[in-house]
């Protein structure tokens, strides 16, 4: 169990210091702004879709280490997925951080599984899921700010 905690900390620190796909995107197909009033996280998610595939995804903003790391890992996990796969991964990720019992339809999280450790800190779950809710809003082309409250 200690090795998993160390890996969790290493991954969070790496993605926080060197976030992947951290940039504004010119002319995105989808965009949403998310905020976590409890922690102060502010994040923008941009995406480009080609024939229903997430061709490009990026994020911008500022947040705590967990928020930034989750957003960074999210962009890596979602790139190349079709909309149905992306929605299923969002659902599985959210379920892994918020529910106790596994659901048979959950999609394997792969490298994202390391973020499931956030579940041990309920107040931080919103930090880890903010980027995902913001992505979902960008995919659905929802208007207005997305919030964790």
């Amino acid at each position: 169990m200690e090795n998993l905690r160390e890996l969790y900390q290493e991954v969070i620190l790496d993605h926080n210091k060197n976030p992947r796909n951290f940039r504004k995107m010119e002319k995105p197909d989808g965009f949403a702004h998310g905020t976590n009033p409890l922690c102060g996280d502010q994040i923008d998610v941009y995406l480009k879709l080609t024939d229903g595939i997430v061709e490009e995804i990026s994020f911008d903003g500022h947040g705590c280490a967990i928020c930034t790391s989750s957003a960074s890992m999210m962009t890596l996990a979602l790139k190349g997925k079709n909309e149905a796969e992306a929605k299923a991964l969002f659902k599985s990720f959210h379920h892994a951080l918020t529910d106790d019992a596994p659901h048979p339809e959950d999609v394997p999280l792969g490298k994202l599984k390391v973020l499931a450790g956030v579940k041990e800190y309920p107040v931080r779950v919103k930090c880890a899921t903010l980027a995902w809710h913001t992505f979902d809003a960008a995919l659905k082309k929802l208007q207005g700010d997305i919030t964790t409250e």
Side-chain angles (χ1 to χ4, degrees):
M1 187 61 132
E2 188 60 34
N3 288 342
L4 185 59
R5 286 179 202 256
E6 288 176 19
L7 177 61
Y8 163 76
Q9 290 173 348
E10 286 177 28
V11 169
I12 296 289
L13 291 174
D14 177 44
H15 280 271
N16 183 52
K17 289 181 181 178
N18 305 297
R20 282 54 154 196
N21 302 303
F22 184 77
R23 67 185 183 286
K24 291 182 181 179
M25 183 185 297
E26 296 296 320
K27 300 180 183 176
D29 297 323
F31 167 83
H33 175 76
T35 183
N36 177 357
L38 187 64
C39 189
D41 302 325
Q42 300 275 329
I43 192 166
D44 295 328
V45 173
Y46 308 85
L47 66 123
K48 285 189 182 179
L49 300 171
T50 302
D51 299 324
I53 305 290
V54 179
E55 179 184 331
E56 206 174 330
I57 180 169
S58 65
F59 75 103
D60 189 25
H62 61 276
C64 68
I66 292 171
C67 179
T68 301
S69 299
S70 181
S72 175
M73 293 180 74
M74 175 192 75
T75 64
L76 295 175
L78 292 176
K79 189 171 183 179
K81 300 272 192 279
N82 66 39
E83 289 185 51
E85 292 168 330
K87 288 176 184 178
L89 188 56
F90 164 67
K91 183 178 177 184
S92 290
F93 181 77
H94 191 266
H95 179 264
L97 270 65
T98 59
D99 294 337
D100 291 327
H103 286 219
E105 69 274 6
D106 278 352
V107 173
L109 296 177
K111 293 179 181 182
L112 294 169
K113 187 171 180 139
V114 73
L115 288 169
V118 171
K119 187 176 186 175
E120 293 180 34
Y121 310 96
V123 73
R124 304 310 299 267
V125 168
K126 291 179 180 184
C127 301
T129 59
L130 176 63
W132 292 82
H133 286 287
T134 308
F135 161 75
D136 188 52
L139 191 61
K140 294 174 180 174
K141 299 185 181 185
L142 298 178
Q143 300 297 312
D145 289 352
I146 305 309
T147 181
T148 56
E149 296 305 307

